[in-house]
Structure formats: C-alpha cells, structure tokens
C-alpha cells in the first residue's frame, strides 16, 4: 500500500538526518578539542582565578584575557556541547596559554586547581603547626588553635582523643590555597586512620595498650628521641616502667603541662605543675592524651619496643642517649655527660 511505504521512507529519512547530525556534531567536538597549543610558546603557563559564582560568559572572558584561549566564540560552542557551562569549579588554576579546548574542559570541570605543599614535621603540637595550617585554611594561627583545641573534637573525627592533639598526622600534603580548615583536618585525620593497617592493629593488641594509649606513648617517644634509631629503645624504657608501675618521669610531658619549651627544666617548674594530669613526675601511668603529633616511626616504636631491661636514659652532648638499668648507673651516666 502506497500510504505505508511513504511512512517508512519518512522515518528512514529522519533516522538518516539524525545520524548525520550526530556524526557532524562528533566531528565538530573532535575538531574543537584539538584547537590550540601550536608551537613552543603555547607551553607558557599562567594563573587563572575563577571566583565562586562566576557566570560562564565571564569565565570565557577570563580565559581569553589570560590568553588561555584565543577563539572565545568557538570555545563557547565547544564548552556548551560538553556541558562545561554548568560544571565549572571555582578556584585558582595553572593553565597553558593557547591550551587545547579539551585541556581547559578537563581542568575546569574536574576542579584541577593549583595546590601548594604543606609539610607538618613530626613532634609538633596543634599550637606549633597552626601557622602552617592557617595558610592552607585561609585563616590565621590564633583562629586555627582556637578551632582545633576543643577537648571534645575527637568524637566528631573518630579518634581516641581527648581532642585532636596527636591525631593530625605529620606528613606533606597538597592543598589549594584557602581550601578551608575542615578539609585540611579531614586530610590529616584520614592519613592517621590509614596508618592503622591490620598488621599494626595486631601489634597493638599484643602490647595490651588501647589505641589512645599507644598514640600517647608514641608522642612521648617522639618528643624524647632525636635519633630515629633510638626510638624503639626509648619505647622499651617506658614499657618497662609501665609494667612495674614506676613513674614515667618524662620531661616533655611536664613541658606540655607548662605550655611549651623551656631552655632548662628546673625542679621548681616541675613542682609547679604537680597537680596537672600531664605531669608524669607526679602521676603514675600515661598522661590523659598525646603531647604532640607522633610520626609513623614513633608509633611503630610504641607498638614494637626493643627487648631490653633498661629503666633510665640521659641525653649526651650529641643528643644520643645513654641507657641504664639502675638509678646508680643512671646517676653515673648523668655525671659523665655533665648533667646535675
């Protein structure tokens, strides 16, 4: 029947036109994606800031002004075909001049913003690392200390506590400038959680310590040790003292109670914080929580102390330690290194 044949032909034509349109569109997208990056001059990189809330036509203007693109209208067509006009992420980018459209699309749609390294050394307190964190957080040191010093913050971040002292894991991170304190803390706590592999959990169980106690002991080892090679031996001294119920008498815990470093720790200063639970000269066992952020080596030493019967150690002029078994040996070692 002629009527039926005519209808089939029309549908076939429509499919053909549609397929042709899709093919042309695909060819156009490929051609546009290849646009840009001609010659060595195209390798020059520039900083491009896309503020939050910037409209897409303003984004195109910024890219043109920074010479990342040289054909804004063509880029606009390409970007809308790939829905970039609805997916640009705000931030500071480092992009090459004369970039391919596909490069710009990938960077802006995935948020490949410029980041800066932030190194947090082992052994810092929250107060000590605040200046470094403030730069990444887009804040100031005082605000960082204030926001991270809450004694109940550990519950929100799923760490033993009290608070976050000792759980902001020392490492080198990369943060976009002004990324915000919450994201900074999240990265550091995540790094702490990743430390606890199943093998380390097994070692923790063998020590008889809780996770919080192990981190607290590791923080004391971190504060006492100048040489990483001595960490396991220092750890053994404290394990031995804990086992027999002997006071730990760790100077760094007293300094923490006093609020920071002192050139010389006098008996009067030790006595002044006798009521503070962090003073291991006055209170048996471990203090309530970490006194600094221990690194992986100190944590490993707390979980796997050397097999010794040492109960004392004293630092020599080269910052290495002399380890002894009795008070008499300890006093002799102190006189040998010129300690009163």
């Amino acid at each position: 029947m002629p009527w039926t044949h005519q209808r089939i032909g029309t549908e076939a034509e429509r499919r053909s036109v549609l397929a042709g349109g899709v093919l042309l569109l695909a060819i156009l997208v490929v051609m546009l994606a290849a646009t840009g990056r001609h010659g060595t001059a195209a390798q020059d990189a520039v900083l491009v800031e896309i503020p939050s809330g910037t409209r897409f036509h303003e984004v195109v203007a910024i890219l043109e002004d920074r010479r990342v693109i040289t054909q804004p209208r063509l880029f606009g067509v390409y970007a809308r075909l790939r829905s970039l006009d609805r997916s640009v992420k705000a931030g500071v980018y480092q992009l090459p001049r004369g970039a391919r459209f596909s490069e710009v699309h990938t960077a802006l749609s995935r948020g490949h913003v410029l980041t800066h390294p932030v190194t947090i050394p082992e052994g810092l307190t929250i107060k000590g690392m605040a200046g470094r964190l403030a730069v990444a957080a887009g804040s100031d040191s005082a605000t960082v200390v204030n926001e991270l010093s809450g004694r109940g913050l550990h519950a929100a971040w799923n760490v033993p506590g009290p608070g976050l002292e000792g759980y902001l894991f020392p490492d080198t991170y990369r943060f976009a400038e002004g990324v915000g304190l919450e994201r900074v803390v999240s990265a550091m706590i995540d790094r702490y959680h990743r430390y606890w592999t199943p093998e380390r959990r097994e070692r923790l169980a063998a020590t008889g310590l809780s996770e919080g106690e192990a981190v607290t002991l590791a923080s004391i080892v971190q504060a006492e040790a100048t040489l990483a090679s001595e960490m396991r031996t220092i750890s053994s001294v404290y394990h031995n003292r804990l086992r027999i119920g002997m006071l730990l008498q760790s100077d760094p815990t007293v300094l923490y109670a006093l609020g920071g470093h002192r050139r010389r720790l006098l008996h009067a200063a030790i006595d002044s914080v006798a009521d503070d639970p962090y003073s291991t000269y006055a209170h048996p066992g471990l203090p309530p929580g970490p006194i600094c952020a221990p690194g992986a080596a100190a944590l490993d030493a707390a979980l796997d102390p050397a097999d010794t019967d040492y109960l004392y150690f004293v630092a020599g002029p080269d910052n290495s330690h002399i380890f002894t078994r009795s008070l008499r040996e300890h006093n002799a070692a102190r006189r040998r290194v010129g300690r009163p």
Side-chain angles (χ1 to χ4, degrees):
M1 293 171 31
W3 178 82
T4 303
H5 289 304
Q6 180 63 36
R7 183 177 179 182
I8 293 174
T10 301
E11 289 180 354
E13 288 173 3
R14 286 176 180 173
R15 290 197 189 101
S16 177
V17 170
L18 180 60
V22 170
L23 179 60
L24 287 173
L25 187 61
I27 293 171
L28 178 60
V29 168
V30 171
M31 291 176 62
L32 291 174
T35 302
R37 296 294 288 276
H38 300 297
T40 57
Q43 304 298 326
D44 296 338
V46 294
L47 296 181
V48 177
E49 181 176 4
I50 308 296
S52 180
T54 303
R55 296 181 179 180
F56 184 68
H57 72 274
E58 296 172 324
V59 172
V60 175
I62 292 170
L63 294 172
E64 182 185 17
D65 180 67
R66 300 298 290 151
R67 294 168 56 197
V68 173
I69 59 172
T70 57
Q71 301 177 69
R73 291 185 179 179
L74 202 57
F75 176 76
V77 173
Y78 170 83
R80 286 184 170 85
L81 285 172
R82 300 200 60 189
S83 302
L84 179 61
D85 55 323
R86 299 190 298 274
S87 60
V88 173
K89 306 292 190 300
V92 177
Y93 295 83
Q94 185 169 310
L95 298 170
R97 288 194 175 100
R100 292 188 179 93
F101 289 174
S102 57
E103 289 179 277
V104 180
H105 174 272
T106 298
L108 299 187
S109 63
R110 297 183 182 178
H112 291 172
V113 297
L114 181 65
T115 59
H116 305 280
V118 177
T119 298
I120 306 298
E122 296 88 346
L124 292 184
T125 60
I126 287 175
K127 184 178 179 181
M129 65 178 70
R132 298 166 188 255
L133 301 184
V135 175
S139 184
D140 59 84
S141 298
T143 300
V144 168
V145 171
N146 183 60
E147 292 191 17
L148 298 186
S149 295
R151 298 291 284 179
L153 286 175
H154 58 281
W157 292 99
N158 193 30
V159 293
L164 298 182
E165 189 78 271
Y167 300 98
L168 301 179
F169 203 87
D171 205 341
T172 296
Y173 301 87
R174 295 198 70 91
F175 297 116
E177 188 173 340
V179 72
L181 188 57
E182 183 174 355
R183 188 170 296 184
V184 171
V185 172
S186 178
M188 299 178 77
I189 295 290
D190 178 67
R191 178 65 186 85
Y192 166 78
H193 285 307
R194 285 189 285 114
Y195 167 82
W196 289 103
T197 61
E199 293 76 17
R200 284 169 169 144
R201 290 285 180 193
E202 288 181 11
R203 274 188 252 154
L204 174 64
T207 66
L209 299 173
S210 68
E211 180 182 331
E213 288 171 335
V215 178
T216 299
L217 177 55
S219 73
I220 296 174
V221 172
Q222 184 73 67
E224 293 277 18
T226 302
L227 305 176
S229 59
E230 293 186 341
M231 283 184 172
R232 293 183 64 239
T233 307
I234 291 173
S235 175
S236 75
V237 171
Y238 289 120
H239 273 279
N240 292 339
R241 288 193 169 208
L242 286 169
R243 188 178 63 255
I244 65 176
M246 185 177 177
L247 288 172
L248 298 187
Q249 296 182 315
S250 168
D251 288 356
T253 65
V254 174
L255 291 171
Y256 186 78
L258 288 166
H261 177 74
R262 296 195 178 191
R263 188 173 179 182
R264 291 187 64 190
L265 184 58
L266 303 175
H267 289 293
I270 295 175
D271 293 340
S272 72
V273 291
D275 292 336
D276 193 298
Y278 279 84
S279 173
T280 56
Y281 274 84
H283 301 277
L286 290 161
I291 60 170
C292 67
L299 284 162
D300 286 345
L303 298 178
D304 184 26
D307 184 12
T308 78
D309 56 358
Y310 294 135
L311 291 173
Y312 301 88
F313 59 87
V314 62
D318 62 351
N319 290 321
S320 65
H321 291 86
I322 299 173
F323 296 90
T324 51
R325 297 169 178 80
S326 69
L327 182 57
R328 187 176 58 134
E329 291 176 346
H330 177 61
N331 288 334
R334 288 177 67 89
R335 288 192 296 271
R336 196 156 67 245
V337 298
R339 297 283 294 274

